[in-house]
C-alpha cells in the first residue's frame, strides 16, 4: 500500500466512526438500575436496583432529586438532518407514608444539561427556584399537587413541559382510572413520532400498554431535541411524605438510518410497483459497525489498525476541503451494498448446482464464498427476472432498512444482466423446519432451551415489525421454513417477499392469498386480508410446531386422515392434558411449565377469532415472565362467516405445495 491509499483507507475509517457516532439509534433497557450507568443528584438514591428520587426519611422536610443516564443520547443527526423519534417505558410508584400529605410528583426529562437538578416543591426537581429559566428541558410531568403558579389543573395530572413547568397540555389519569398517588405500580409509555410530530403518553396499572394514549400532544419537538441530550428522572416533595420510585426503564431512539441503500428502482421496476420508502430503523445493534470493522480489519494486526486510525484522524483536517470526501462519505453510508454480477458469479462458482441450498418462493438459493472478504453468504437468485421483479423490489426496500437481531441480515444486492440477486448472511443451521423434522429424525432433536429461545426471538422480531417500526410491517408468510437459525440457534426471520409496509392505523389492503395453507388465519383464507392478527395466527401455528414437533397439517398414521395441528392441540387442552402435545422426541427433557406456556400461547395466537388473539408485545411479555399467561377457552371458538370457508382440509392438501409432505423435506426447503 502506498501512503496515499493508506491515508484514504484510514480517513474512511475515521469518517465511518464519525458518521456512526452521530447517527446511531440507541436501545437501552434497565430491568434494574445500577450506579455504573447513572448519576444521582440531590436526594436521589439507589436501593436494590430501584431508584428513589426523594428522601425517604426525615419528613417533613422538602426534598428534590434527579437521576441522569450518564451517556448523552443523539437526538439529531446533522449529517442527514434527521431528528430521532423516541419511545420509552418505565414502571414507577408514588407512595405515601401519610396519605394526607402529598406532593409534588416526578418527571421524565430530556435536557442538553447533565447537571439539571432543580429545587424542591412545585419545581419538581427540574427547575431552579432562584433561576427559573436556567434549565432547558423537554419533560413529561406526573404531578400530584396543584401548584397555581404553574396553572396546574388539579392534584393528579400528566403534562408536557418545555423549559417551563407551565404545561403545554395536561390530562387527568383518572380518565383511564389511574390515580398517580395510589401507591400502586404504574407503567408509563412515552412515544414521540417525529414524522407525525406527535407525543403520546400512556399509563396503566398493568404492564400492558393501553390502546389509547392518555395524553396526545401535536408538537414538533425537533426544535428542542438537540444533537445530544441527557435523559433522566426528577421528583420533589414539599414538607410532604411522598415517595417516588422508578423500578425499571427502557428507552429507544428510532429514525436514524445510517445504512440507507441506494436503489434505483425505476431502472428495474415496472410502474405498478411504487417504490416503498426506507423504513426508519429502531435498533441498538452496532452489528453494521462491527461487520465493516471486520471487513476492513481482516489481515491487519489491531495495533497497526489503530495507528492508521490515529494517522487518519490527524490527517483528516487536511483532507476536509478535498472534493473526494463527499463521494467517500456517500460510499460509506450505503450499508447493504451493491455487488457486481461477476463477484457473485465467482463466489457461487458460476451458480454451480453443488452450491444450491434450497428453493424458495423467490427463486433458488446458493451458498457463496466471497474469498476476498473471507465471508460466506447465501445468495437468492430470481427464477425469472421479469416475474420476480415485483417481489424483489418489495423485499429489498423493506428488508434493507429493518434492523433487528432476529432478522436475517441483508448484505447486498445486484441488478445486472437481467438478473435480480440478494445477498444475505449465511445461516449455518438452515431453516427451523429442517432442524425440527429432518434432524430430529436423525436422532438430533432440537433442545428445549433452543425451542423456547426461538419462540422468544420470533415474538421479539414480530413485536418490532408490528409495533415498533414507524411504518408497520406485516410479514404475511411466517412459517417454519422461513425461520432460519443462526450459529447459536437464534431465530432469524427471513423471506420478506410477501411483506408489505402499512401505515399504522390504516385498514389493511386486500391482496392475493399467499403463503402456506396450514399457517393461514381463517379470516385471511376467507377475505384475503392480511393484518398483524394474521401474522399472530401464523406465529401461533409455528409455536405449536415448535412445542409438538408436528406439522400444521399432518396425515395421521393409522387413519390416514388429515389432522390440523391447532385442532389437535386444542382437543388435548379441552381434555385437560395439553402437556401430552409435547414433542415425544424430547423424551420429557423439557420444563413442563414452560412447555405448557408455549402450547397455551400457541393456542391463543391461533384462536380462530382474530379479536381474541393477543398482540405480539403481550406474547413477548408472557414469554419473558413479565405477564401472566392468558386464559385459553377449553373449547375451540367457532367462527361463522357469511359463507363457509372456501376450502376444506382435503382441498388444501391437494392445493398446496409439497412442504406438507414429510418425506419431500430435507434439502428442499433448507433456505427459502
Ligand atoms: C418493571 O418492574 C415492575 C415492578 O418490579 C415489574 O412488575 C415489571 O414487570 C417490570 N417491567 C419490565 C419490563 O421489566
Ligand atoms: C453501564 O455501565 C457499564 C460500566 O461502565 C458499561 O459497560 C455498560 O455498557 C453501561 N450500559 C449502558 C446501557 O450504558
Ligand atoms: C434541515 O431541515 C430543516 C427542516 O426541514 C430545514 O429547514 C433545513 O434547511 C435543513 N438543513 C439542511 C442542512 O438540510
Ligand atoms: C440554583 O441556582 C443557584 C445559583 O446558580 C445555585 O447556587 C443553587 O445551588 C441552585 N439550586 C439547585 C437546587 O440546584
Ligand atoms: C439507474 O438509474 C440511475 C438514475 O437514472 C442511474 O444513475 C444509474 O446508473 C442506473 N443504474 C443502473 C444499474 O442502471
Amino acid at each position: 500500500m502506498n501512503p496515499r491509499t493508506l491515508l484514504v483507507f484510514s480517513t474512511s475509517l475515521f469518517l465511518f466512526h464519525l458518521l456512526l457516532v452521530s447517527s446511531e439509534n440507541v436501545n437501552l433497557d434497565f430491568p434494574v438500575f445500577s450506579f455504573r450507568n447513572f448519576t444521582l443528584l440531590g436526594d436521589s438514591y439507589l436501593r436494590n436496583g430501584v431508584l428513589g428520587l426523594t428522601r425517604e426519611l426525615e419528613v417533613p422536610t422538602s426534598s428534590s432529586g434527579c437521576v441522569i443516564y450518564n451517556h448523552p443520547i443523539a437526538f439529531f443527526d446533522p449529517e442527514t438532518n434527521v431528528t430521532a423519534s423516541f419511545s420509552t417505558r418505565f414502571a414507577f410508584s408514588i407512595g405515601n407514608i401519610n396519605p394526607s400529605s402529598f406532593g409534588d410528583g416526578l418527571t421524565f426529562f430530556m435536557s442538553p444539561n447533565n447537571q439539571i437538578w432543580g429545587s424542591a416543591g412545585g419545581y419538581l426537581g427540574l427547575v431552579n427556584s432562584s433561576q427559573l429559566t436556567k434549565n432547558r428541558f423537554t419533560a413529561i410531568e406526573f404531578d400530584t399537587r396543584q401548584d397555581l403558579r404553574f396553572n396546574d389543573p388539579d392534584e393528579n395530572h400528566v403534562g408536557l413541559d418545555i423549559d417551563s413547568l407551565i404545561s403545554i397540555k395536561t390530562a387527568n389519569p383518572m380518565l383511564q382510572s389511574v390515580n398517580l398517588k395510589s401507591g400502586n405500580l404504574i407503567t408509563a409509555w412515552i412515544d414521540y413520532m417525529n414524522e407525525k410530530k406527535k407525543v403520546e403518553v400512556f399509563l396503566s396499572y398493568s404492564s400492558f400498554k393501553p390502546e389509547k394514549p392518555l395524553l396526545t400532544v401535536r408538537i414538533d419537538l425537533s426544535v428542542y431535541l438537540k444533537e445530544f441530550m441527557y435523559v433522566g428522572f426528577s421528583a420533589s416533595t414539599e414538607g410532604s411524605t411522598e415517595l417516588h420510585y422508578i423500578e425499571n426503564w427502557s428507552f429507544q431512539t428510532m429514525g436514524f438510518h445510517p445504512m440507507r441503500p441506494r436503489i434505483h428502482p425505476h431502472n428495474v421496476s415496472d410502474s405498478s410497483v411504487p417504490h416503498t420508502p426506507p423504513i426508519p430503523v429502531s435498533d441498538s445493534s452496532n452489528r453494521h459497525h462491527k461487520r465493516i470493522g471486520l471487513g476492513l480489519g481482516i489481515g491487519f494486526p489491531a495495533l497497526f489498525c489503530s495507528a492508521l486510525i490515529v494517522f487518519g484522524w490527524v490527517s483528516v483536517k487536511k483532507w476536509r476541503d478535498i472534493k473526494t470526501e463527499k463521494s467517500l462519505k456517500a460510499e460509506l453510508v450505503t450499508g447493504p451494498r451493491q455487488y457486481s454480477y461477476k463477484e457473485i458469479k465467482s463466489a457461487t462458482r458460476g451458480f454451480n448446482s453443488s452450491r444450491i441450498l434450497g428453493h424458495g418462493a423467490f427463486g433458488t438459493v446458493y451458498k457463496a464464498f466471497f474469498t476476498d472478504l473471507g465471508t460466506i453468504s447465501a445468495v437468492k437468485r430470481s427464477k425469472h427476472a421479469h416475474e420476480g421483479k415485483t417481489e424483489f423490489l418489495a423485499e429489498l426496500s423493506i428488508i434493507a432498512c429493518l434492523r433487528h437481531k432476529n432478522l436475517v441480515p441483508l448484505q447486498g444486492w445486484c441488478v445486472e444482466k437481467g438478473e435480480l440477486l440478494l445477498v444475505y448472511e449465511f445461516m449455518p443451521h438452515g431453516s427451523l423446519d429442517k432442524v425440527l423434522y429432518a434432524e430430529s429424525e436423525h436422532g438430533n432433536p432440537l433442545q428445549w432451551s433452543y425451542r423456547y429461545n426461538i419462540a422468544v426471538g420470533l415474538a421479539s422480531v414480530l413485536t418490532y415489525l408490528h409495533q415498533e417500526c414507524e411504518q408497520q410491517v406485516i410479514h404475511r408468510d411466517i412459517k417454519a421454513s422461513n425461520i432460519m437459525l443462526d450459529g447459536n440457534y437464534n431465530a432469524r426471520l427471513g423471506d420478506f417477499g410477501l411483506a408489505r409496509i402499512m401505515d399504522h392505523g390504516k385498514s389493511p389492503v386486500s391482496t392475493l392469498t399467499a403463503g402456506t395453507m396450514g399457517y393461514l388465519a381463517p379470516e385471511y383464507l376467507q377475505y384475503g386480508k392480511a393484518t398483524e392478527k394474521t401474522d399472530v395466527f401464523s406465529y401461533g401455528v409455528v409455536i405449536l410446531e415448535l412445542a409438538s414437533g408436528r406439522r400444521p397439517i399432518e396425515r395421521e398414521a393409522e387413519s390416514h386422515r388429515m389432522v390440523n395441528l391447532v385442532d389437535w392441540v386444542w382437543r388435548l387442552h379441552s381434555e385437560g392434558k395439553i402437556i401430552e402435545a409435547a414433542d415425544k422426541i424430547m423424551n420429557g427433557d423439557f420444563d413442563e411449565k414452560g412447555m405448557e406456556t408455549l402450547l397455551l400461547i400457541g393456542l391463543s395466537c391461533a384462536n380462530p377469532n382474530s379479536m381474541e388473539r393477543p398482540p405480539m408485545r403481550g406474547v413477548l411479555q408472557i414469554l419473558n415472565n413479565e405477564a401472566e399467561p392468558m386464559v385459553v377457552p377449553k373449547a375451540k371458538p367457532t367462527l361463522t362467516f357469511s359463507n363457509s370457508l372456501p376450502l376444506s382440509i382435503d382441498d388444501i392438501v391437494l392445493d398446496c405445495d409439497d412442504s406438507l409432505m414429510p418425506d419431500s423435506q430435507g434439502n428442499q426447503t433448507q433456505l427459502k
Side-chain angles (χ1 to χ4, degrees):
M1 254 191 221
N2 65 40
R4 197 187 146 93
T5 348
L6 276 183
L7 187 62
V8 172
F9 171 67
S10 44
T11 309
S12 56
L13 264 183
F14 170 68
L15 285 174
F16 217 108
H17 279 259
L18 260 190
L19 290 174
L20 287 170
V21 165
S22 65
S23 63
E24 219 163 80
N25 295 310
V26 298
N27 189 347
L28 306 172
D29 188 12
F30 293 98
V32 292
F33 291 94
S34 78
F35 284 110
R36 291 187 309 178
N37 304 86
F38 294 90
T39 305
L40 306 182
L41 302 171
D43 295 326
S44 60
Y45 58 89
L46 183 71
R47 195 185 321 122
N48 301 330
V50 172
L51 289 178
L53 292 168
T54 48
R55 211 171 301 163
E56 190 161 313
L57 301 168
E58 299 170 58
V59 285
T61 48
S62 300
S63 164
S64 77
C66 185
V67 174
I68 299 179
Y69 176 61
N70 284 342
H71 305 284
I73 290 171
F75 280 91
F76 175 73
D77 179 10
E79 288 286 337
T80 52
N81 204 7
V82 166
T83 298
S85 298
F86 66 84
S87 167
T88 186
R89 186 214 68 225
F90 55 91
F92 69 93
S93 65
I94 300 181
N96 213 321
I97 303 165
N98 170 10
S100 65
S101 137
F102 49 81
D104 273 278
L106 63 86
T107 79
F108 168 80
F109 68 83
M110 290 159 283
S111 170
N113 176 355
N114 68 349
Q115 295 295 326
I116 188 173
W117 170 47
S119 312
Y123 302 101
L124 295 177
L126 200 56
V127 169
N128 185 318
S129 58
S130 55
Q131 286 176 288
L132 294 180
T133 54
K134 178 179 155 201
N135 287 343
R136 305 259 143 232
F137 54 84
T138 299
I140 300 292
E141 62 170 47
F142 300 83
D143 198 331
T144 57
R145 200 172 67 93
Q146 184 174 25
D147 194 325
L148 294 173
R149 283 173 303 176
F150 303 123
N151 301 346
D152 283 351
D154 51 34
E155 50 186 53
N156 182 35
H157 64 271
V158 173
L160 171 69
D161 301 346
I162 294 178
D163 298 343
S164 156
L165 292 172
I166 299 175
S167 302
I168 288 170
K169 191 174 173 191
T170 61
N172 190 321
M174 278 321 278
L175 292 175
Q176 298 187 345
S177 316
V178 173
N179 180 356
L180 296 176
K181 294 196 293 274
S182 64
N184 291 341
L185 191 76
I186 300 173
T187 305
W189 294 261
I190 303 168
D191 296 333
Y192 171 64
M193 287 142 282
N194 191 53
E195 249 88 285
K196 298 188 178 142
K197 309 291 178 208
K198 190 164 77 172
V199 177
E200 289 181 335
V201 182
F202 302 79
L203 280 190
S204 170
Y205 286 142
S206 84
S207 52
F208 290 98
K209 189 173 180 175
E211 300 247 318
K212 281 221 179 86
L214 170 68
L215 174 69
T216 303
V217 190
R218 302 207 168 265
I219 186 169
D220 183 0
L221 290 185
S222 66
V223 187
Y224 308 101
L225 296 176
K226 299 286 178 325
E227 190 169 352
F228 288 107
M229 307 267 278
Y230 292 89
V231 294
F233 299 92
S234 74
S236 68
T237 62
E238 189 169 18
S240 70
T241 52
E242 198 165 276
L243 307 167
H244 305 91
Y245 302 107
I246 312 284
E247 303 263 344
N248 47 41
W249 176 52
S250 73
F251 181 90
Q252 287 116 38
T253 57
M254 296 151 283
F256 295 137
H257 22 103
M259 303 170 68
R260 189 185 307 126
R262 292 175 309 143
I263 310 163
H264 298 291
H266 45 281
N267 307 29
V268 284
S269 87
D270 48 38
S271 50
S272 66
V273 192
H275 170 54
T276 18
I279 311 161
V281 182
S282 97
D283 192 20
S284 59
S285 85
N286 42 15
R287 195 188 309 129
H288 178 55
H289 196 151
K290 280 191 203 131
R291 195 169 70 227
I292 298 289
L294 200 73
L296 293 176
I298 274 169
F300 287 89
L303 202 63
F304 186 48
C305 228
S306 21
L308 279 181
I309 292 169
V310 173
F311 178 53
W313 191 59
V314 172
S315 322
V316 77
K317 275 200 163 68
K318 287 185 196 166
W319 283 71
R320 189 152 281 170
D321 301 330
I322 295 176
K323 248 204 236 153
T324 52
E325 195 188 326
K326 261 215 164 89
S327 60
L328 196 60
K329 268 198 237 177
E331 288 304 325
L332 286 166
V333 275
T334 50
R337 69 180 180 93
Q338 192 157 9
Y339 283 73
S340 73
Y341 189 78
K342 210 174 126 206
E343 216 176 337
I344 295 180
K345 195 171 168 193
S346 89
T348 53
R349 280 184 46 210
F351 300 103
N352 194 294
S353 58
S354 67
R355 292 292 183 79
I356 293 178
L357 289 169
H359 303 276
F362 171 77
T364 308
V365 185
Y366 297 85
K367 193 169 180 174
F369 296 95
F370 291 97
T371 39
D372 36 348
L373 295 172
T375 55
I376 306 179
S377 301
V379 172
K380 275 192 188 181
R381 185 192 200 195
S382 161
K383 278 180 278 212
H384 309 289
H386 288 285
E387 287 168 27
K389 233 187 252 173
T390 313
E391 279 189 50
F392 176 86
L393 287 172
E395 175 150 9
L396 185 53
S397 59
I398 292 172
I399 259 199
C401 294
L402 296 173
R403 291 286 170 278
H404 190 279
K405 64 181 193 309
N406 297 106
L407 287 175
V408 180
L410 178 72
Q411 297 176 326
W413 73 94
C414 169
V415 192
E416 245 180 80
K417 299 208 176 5
E419 295 226 32
L420 310 170
L421 300 150
L422 289 178
V423 183
Y424 288 94
E425 197 172 302
F426 176 70
M427 293 288 130
H429 289 296
S431 65
L432 176 61
D433 69 330
K434 191 196 80 174
V435 171
L436 209 49
Y437 304 116
E439 291 191 2
S440 282
E441 275 163 31
H442 295 103
N444 188 11
L446 186 59
Q447 276 176 32
W448 165 248
S449 61
Y450 291 140
R451 294 185 196 224
Y452 199 84
N453 187 40
I454 289 167
V456 173
L458 211 51
S460 162
V461 67
L462 287 173
T463 304
Y464 167 72
L465 295 175
H466 289 172
Q467 274 139 14
E468 289 168 1
C469 294
E470 293 246 329
Q471 263 183 307
Q472 186 177 43
V473 175
I474 305 296
H475 186 282
R476 290 164 182 250
D477 202 15
I478 295 160
K479 54 183 177 186
S481 58
N482 273 344
I483 296 158
M484 311 307 295
L485 299 175
D486 70 13
N488 298 318
Y489 288 98
N490 291 309
R492 301 291 199 109
L493 189 57
D495 214 332
F496 273 75
L498 300 169
R500 297 285 185 283
I501 299 176
M502 306 173 55
D503 276 329
H504 282 292
K506 280 202 194 132
S507 75
V509 283
S510 283
T511 47
L512 287 175
T513 299
T516 307
M517 290 298 175
Y519 295 97
L520 296 183
E523 78 277 8
Y524 190 25
L525 285 171
Q526 179 74 10
Y527 303 118
K529 236 183 188 182
T531 63
E532 62 185 276
K533 293 294 184 195
T534 56
D535 271 2
V536 173
F537 184 94
S538 312
Y539 172 83
V541 175
V542 170
I543 294 311
L544 293 179
E545 272 190 274
L546 202 54
S548 69
R550 288 171 66 116
R551 290 170 193 284
I553 298 172
E554 205 163 80
R555 195 182 290 278
E556 216 164 48
E558 312 96 57
S559 66
H560 297 283
R561 271 187 323 122
M562 286 297 173
V563 180
N564 179 306
L565 178 58
V566 178
D567 292 343
W568 182 74
V569 178
W570 218 303
R571 195 165 335 113
L572 289 171
H573 173 56
S574 50
E575 289 163 10
K577 47 184 192 185
I578 193 169
I579 202 73
E580 285 184 19
D583 195 348
K584 298 281 176 293
I585 207 150
M586 283 193 285
N587 254 327
D589 201 2
F590 55 80
D591 164 37
E592 209 162 290
K593 182 147 183 300
M595 174 60 87
E596 204 176 301
T597 303
L598 224 52
L599 287 162
L600 290 176
I601 286 177
L603 288 185
S604 48
C605 291
N607 194 312
N609 182 353
S610 63
M611 303 301 287
E612 299 288 316
R613 292 173 208 148
M616 285 318 299
R617 196 189 294 280
V619 171
L620 188 59
Q621 283 168 332
I622 295 168
L623 288 169
N624 287 333
N625 287 319
E626 292 166 5
E628 289 292 309
M630 43 221 121
V631 178
V632 178
K634 283 284 173 196
K636 183 179 165 186
T638 47
L639 270 196
T640 40
F641 287 109
S642 48
N643 46 345
S644 63
L645 280 180
L647 298 166
S648 72
I649 285 188
D650 289 315
D651 296 332
I652 290 167
V653 171
L654 291 175
D655 217 46
C656 66
D657 66 24
D658 58 5
S659 67
L660 291 177
M661 300 305 150
D663 44 6
S664 72
Q665 278 302 302
N667 51 14
Q668 279 293 292
T669 42
Q670 192 179 4
L671 215 161
K672 279 195 177 182

